Amino acid sequence: MSCPPVSRRSVLGRLGAVVAAVIAAPIAKAAKATVQKVFVSSGAPKGYDPRQHKWVMAIDANKCIGCGLCAEACKKENHVPEGPYFRTWVERYIITKPKPGSGMARGETLVDCPGGGIHGYPEAPVPKEEIEDSFFVPKLCNLCHHSPCTQVCPVGATFDAPDGAVLIDPKYCIGCGFCIQACPYGCRFFNPLTRTAEKCTLCYHRITSSHHLKPACVEVCPTQARVFGDLLNAGPDEPIRKFYQNNRVMALKPHLGTEPRLFYAGIDKEVR
Amino acid sequence: MTNGVTNIVVELLPHFEGYVYPNEATPQPLWGVLIVLYPYITGLVAGAFIMASLVRVFYVKALEPVYRLSLLTAFAFLLCAPLPLLFHLGHPERCFEIMMTPHLTSPMAIFGFIYAWYLMAVLLLELWFDYRHDLVSWSNVTPGFKGMLYRLFTVGVTDVSAPAVRLDYRTGHILSIVGIPSAFLLHGYVGFIFGSVKANPWWGNVLMPIIFIMSAMVSGIALCVFNYMVLSWIRRKTVDMKCLDVMGMFLFYALVVDAAIEALDWVHRVYSAEEGFRVMQYMAQEKLFYTLNLGQVTLGTLVPLLLLGSLQLIRKRVPDLGRRRMYFASAMLILTGVLAMRWNVVIGGQLFSKSLRGVMSYKLEFAGVEGWFMSGVLLLLPFVILTVLIKLFLSEKLPGTSVAEGQAVGSEQTSFRSGPLVR
């Protein structure tokens, strides 16, 4: 039995193919990364490495006084258009006392948030003596582990950055609105000026700057109800670590499986 | 001053009851009438194609008179299917990104591919294989521009020998078989776009794709009934009653399954009464009362079920004219009912806050890209295209490839090629 003849040409050809494949693999990888860079951009400055950080925010609702400065600062900082467009807002919850003889543990839950809470709140719609409890809840992107908004984007214009922020590339977004429908927390909106989806970026331009700025809402909060930190670099005494140590925390709409990374302390079951 | 300005803003905002998230208090819904039309038109495509498949795949010979009309209907509507979506985009110029850089976890990303597959690989090819023999004959006898068009459509393949025609037939048959799951995919996927939104209890539902597929079949068959009857009326031809009866029968059975699945959906929602149930109950009783209870359920489902169902039982006792009227009325009602269903799904899902504490009211605009006018135009456009297609490919003036010629091929199914199909 004779083996088929192996020619030099065929051996060289095969060797060439292997070498080409070895060379091509990193080139393909680099090309893919370049294409992604061309198409999607986080807007972070050069030199910022998103893999070295894990940004997160936490809310201590016990401390929130409903001044609305955070919502106002956010609008100014991020040039959010006037009208019903908010990257962050503050809700007011009023839980009334139960009607005598109703057999209920609590009364009604009334929620409002006129103008995002920027201009304050009107008189409570029920007399003071009928109110069981009242509190404020700042809302923003819930920084989900399993973000339904990034999952549904048809082009990948919105994405989970390695540093924990959920971003949108406005130059790439086609403005279909699917992500806005998919966000269970109402945190996204359609910007009528750019005609793209928009959301809280944790003030990405501030947190990635070399000055290590905090998000505008955190910066202006007079009571430190908003706690911001970097989970990869936070020491045990940093506010974000203290927040987790000192509080029992809750996330919004946990049954949806989005696993928010934004935790709340001091909120009620009525908050959603 | 600040207070004054705030008050003005509040007055300009739409009315809503209860609490809605601030970002939801927009003057217009994010997805407007155009997005209502999108699943409606796509559904009509899928349904009309399934109707044609009944002839080609399941050999329902009685439906031969509407075979080509159904295919052309599917084609005309498919050409218009992506338009509402395109016009709705904030940046339509970036639409090709969906196909160039698709994000594969998105139900919407795959639309471009399914659409291209369905248009290019299924419908266009099937039409071409079905018409090739005729195109060759027509190009020989038609003078002028029209003849040139027919010649152009043959793409130079003018072989009409028996084996070539047999190959056409076989390929068309295979394409039809592939077309059925493709049609299901096309519309089931549209259902999945809504069904996969877990943030919205009105949409997030595992039955949604199946509901969409069934309602698509119902609306597509109804559209074929409508088109066939209108075309016969325009051409002063008698409607083939046997064909109409069989269409009515399929329409009835599809409607029974559709109604059963939608009822199952509601039974499940009512019985499980999950978190969003109270707001959904309010929607059904207040916000969507007319379009849901009257439009979708009563006029769009129950009345046609009654009309078509009674015809299944006492068909022989109803005179032709009466039956024709009942079929036509059922088709019109179903077409309106399915449009109402799309409205209830798309607009209904945006009439309540995701906080489940409030509802919104919108006043949809007339002019503008997402207004009523544009929607009307987009709904009429497929009919305009269909008219052109009928003039070109279902013209009475064209000689039909004779049955005898078809039989020479030696296949009984070639009797489809019995010329202009509207008798």
Side-chain angles (χ1 to χ4, degrees):
Chain A
M1 203 176 121
S2 66
C3 292
V6 181
S7 68
R8 268 173 303 178
R9 181 183 291 224
S10 73
V11 170
L12 281 176
R14 276 174 213 172
L15 204 66
V18 171
V19 173
V22 170
I23 296 172
I27 293 177
K29 234 179 176 178
K32 194 183 160 213
T34 316
V35 167
Q36 273 178 341
K37 252 191 185 163
V38 168
F39 282 121
V40 191
S41 147
S42 69
K46 270 188 184 169
Y48 171 77
D49 186 355
R51 287 164 302 180
Q52 302 300 317
H53 306 274
K54 202 77 185 175
W55 304 112
V56 77
M57 204 186 282
I59 307 283
D60 190 348
N62 294 313
K63 290 182 179 169
C64 181
I65 54 170
C67 64
L69 279 178
C70 49
E72 190 179 5
C74 172
K75 275 225 177 200
K76 283 189 179 151
E77 178 72 29
N78 296 296
H79 311 290
V80 177
E82 281 298 308
Y85 312 104
F86 298 91
R87 291 181 176 205
T88 184
W89 65 94
V90 184
E91 292 172 354
R92 175 177 69 171
Y93 283 72
I94 296 172
I95 297 168
T96 63
K97 287 179 180 159
K99 285 200 177 107
S102 68
M104 304 293 284
R106 299 203 294 189
E108 266 186 288
T109 303
L110 308 166
V111 190
D112 65 350
C113 179
I118 291 176
H119 304 294
Y121 301 82
E123 273 291 286
V126 285
K128 208 175 168 187
E129 54 276 10
E130 285 181 25
I131 297 175
E132 181 102 330
D133 190 11
S134 177
F135 53 93
F136 295 97
V137 181
K139 291 276 189 84
L140 66 151
C141 172
N142 279 245
L143 306 168
C144 305
H145 259 303
H146 303 294
S147 333
C149 54
T150 58
Q151 185 187 24
V152 300
C153 175
V155 295
T158 178
F159 55 97
D160 299 295
D163 57 11
V166 181
L167 303 173
I168 303 174
D169 182 350
K171 293 202 178 92
Y172 190 25
C173 170
I174 61 171
C176 67
F178 203 4
C179 58
I180 303 170
Q181 303 285 16
C183 173
Y185 308 101
C187 292
R188 288 176 171 242
F189 60 89
F190 189 76
N191 186 324
L193 305 176
T194 59
R195 299 196 60 74
T196 56
E198 202 176 303
K199 69 178 287 296
C200 164
T201 59
L202 293 176
C203 283
Y204 207 62
H205 58 291
R206 292 173 60 93
I207 60 172
T208 58
S209 78
S210 52
H211 305 293
H212 305 295
L213 300 172
K214 287 178 183 166
C217 57
V218 179
E219 197 73 62
V220 298
C221 180
T223 60
Q224 286 157 24
R226 290 174 183 252
V227 188
F228 179 76
D230 178 357
L231 293 180
L232 283 186
N233 302 302
D237 291 332
E238 295 235 357
I240 192 73
R241 283 277 161 230
K242 288 270 180 212
F243 174 86
Y244 297 128
Q245 283 164 17
N246 297 340
N247 292 293
R248 294 210 171 117
V249 295
M250 233 172 104
L252 299 181
K253 300 190 182 183
H255 60 281
L256 291 178
T258 55
E259 292 187 32
R261 291 171 54 245
L262 174 75
F263 291 157
Y264 283 90
I267 58 170
D268 189 85
K269 78 174 183 67
E270 295 293 343
V271 179
R272 51 181 178 232
Chain B
M1 179 61 200
T2 314
N3 277 346
V5 172
T6 317
N7 288 341
I8 292 168
V9 172
V10 168
E11 267 178 23
L12 283 176
L13 291 179
H15 294 286
F16 43 83
E17 299 160 50
Y19 174 67
V20 307
Y21 289 135
N23 284 331
E24 294 174 327
T26 49
Q28 295 289 318
L30 182 64
W31 288 355
V33 197
L34 286 184
I35 302 297
V36 176
L37 284 188
Y38 162 63
Y40 186 57
I41 294 179
T42 320
L44 293 173
V45 175
F49 185 86
I50 299 293
M51 174 84 201
S53 310
L54 287 173
V55 182
R56 204 70 196 264
V57 180
F58 300 105
Y59 304 121
V60 185
K61 294 203 112 202
L63 292 178
E64 276 174 26
V66 288
Y67 170 64
R68 283 188 166 176
L69 183 62
S70 312
L71 273 189
L72 292 178
T73 302
F75 185 52
F77 277 77
L78 188 62
L79 287 179
C80 301
L83 292 183
L85 202 58
L86 187 66
F87 290 161
H88 151 82
L89 290 184
H91 283 274
E93 79 280 5
R94 296 178 191 167
C95 69
F96 283 108
E97 298 292 3
I98 293 187
M99 290 184 85
M100 303 302 286
T101 57
H103 185 228
L104 295 177
T105 60
S106 165
M108 204 183 267
I110 311 302
F111 177 71
F113 296 100
I114 296 180
Y115 177 80
W117 161 261
Y118 196 72
L119 178 69
M120 306 294 196
V122 177
L123 205 49
L124 262 181
L125 273 186
E126 177 161 348
L127 274 168
W128 187 74
F129 278 112
D130 187 61
Y131 267 101
R132 201 186 63 81
H133 191 189
D134 289 342
L135 288 171
V136 174
S137 334
W138 294 342
S139 65
N140 291 332
V141 294
T142 321
F145 178 68
K146 229 172 153 183
M148 228 167 73
L149 267 185
Y150 292 138
R151 242 190 314 283
L152 195 73
F153 289 140
T154 61
V155 211
V157 188
T158 51
D159 180 6
V160 284
S161 62
V165 173
R166 203 179 300 131
L167 184 69
D168 281 352
Y169 174 73
R170 263 199 225 133
T171 320
H173 186 73
I174 293 169
L175 283 172
S176 277
I177 294 174
V178 176
I180 295 174
S182 305
F184 278 16
L185 191 69
L186 180 76
H187 204 61
Y189 137 88
V190 177
F192 188 66
I193 285 187
F194 293 99
S196 62
V197 180
K198 63 183 171 187
N200 189 324
W202 189 262
W203 290 345
N205 179 353
V206 70
L207 278 180
M208 204 59 121
I210 301 170
I211 290 174
F212 265 60
I213 288 172
M214 285 319 298
S215 59
M217 278 174 67
V218 170
S219 66
I221 299 176
L223 180 67
C224 291
V225 171
F226 173 82
N227 283 350
Y228 178 49
M229 293 186 78
V230 170
L231 189 62
S232 307
W233 177 75
I234 291 172
R235 291 183 166 177
R236 306 278 182 272
K237 298 273 176 170
T238 336
V239 172
D240 182 337
M241 282 313 289
K242 203 176 152 208
C243 170
L244 201 57
D245 282 336
V246 174
M247 275 206 276
M249 185 186 76
F250 279 110
L251 190 52
F252 173 68
Y253 289 124
L255 191 59
V256 167
V257 179
D258 181 36
I261 295 176
E262 287 192 38
L264 175 67
D265 176 31
W266 269 103
V267 167
H268 178 80
R269 280 171 193 264
V270 171
Y271 193 81
S272 59
E274 288 175 11
E275 193 188 16
F277 177 64
R278 266 178 59 199
V279 79
M280 282 194 268
Q281 202 178 13
Y282 180 78
M283 299 277 292
Q285 288 166 355
E286 301 281 334
K287 306 289 289 180
L288 294 173
F289 182 81
Y290 291 107
T291 49
L292 182 70
N293 300 315
L294 197 70
Q296 185 184 338
V297 177
T298 310
L299 294 178
T301 310
L302 294 180
V303 176
L305 267 181
L306 209 67
L307 285 175
L308 295 169
S310 60
L311 279 179
Q312 303 310 308
L313 295 173
I314 51 160
R315 185 184 301 153
K316 283 180 185 154
R317 280 185 235 158
V318 185
D320 283 4
L321 182 67
R323 253 151 65 210
R324 276 205 294 275
R325 284 183 180 162
M326 284 168 83
Y327 285 131
F328 192 76
S330 306
M332 289 295 292
L333 284 174
I334 287 173
L335 282 172
T336 321
V338 173
L339 184 59
M341 179 259 181
R342 309 292 191 230
W343 172 275
N344 294 333
V345 169
V346 176
I347 303 294
Q350 299 171 85
L351 284 178
F352 64 92
S353 166
K354 281 185 272 196
S355 70
L356 305 177
R357 292 189 183 280
V359 289
M360 292 80 100
S361 298
Y362 297 113
K363 196 165 185 194
L364 296 167
E365 51 190 9
F366 178 77
V369 185
E370 291 229 35
W372 291 108
F373 181 73
M374 188 61 155
S375 309
V377 170
L378 279 183
L379 201 52
L380 278 180
L381 189 62
F383 287 102
V384 175
I385 295 175
L386 184 61
T387 311
V388 176
L389 289 177
I390 287 175
K391 286 230 181 259
L392 273 176
F393 299 113
L394 274 182
S395 169
E396 289 173 294
K397 291 173 196 154
L398 289 170
T401 319
S402 71
V403 178
E405 202 181 326
Q407 276 165 349
V409 176
S411 159
E412 56 169 330
Q413 288 84 17
T414 44
S415 56
F416 303 153
R417 320 195 158 282
S418 47
L421 287 161
V422 178
R423 288 167 196 155

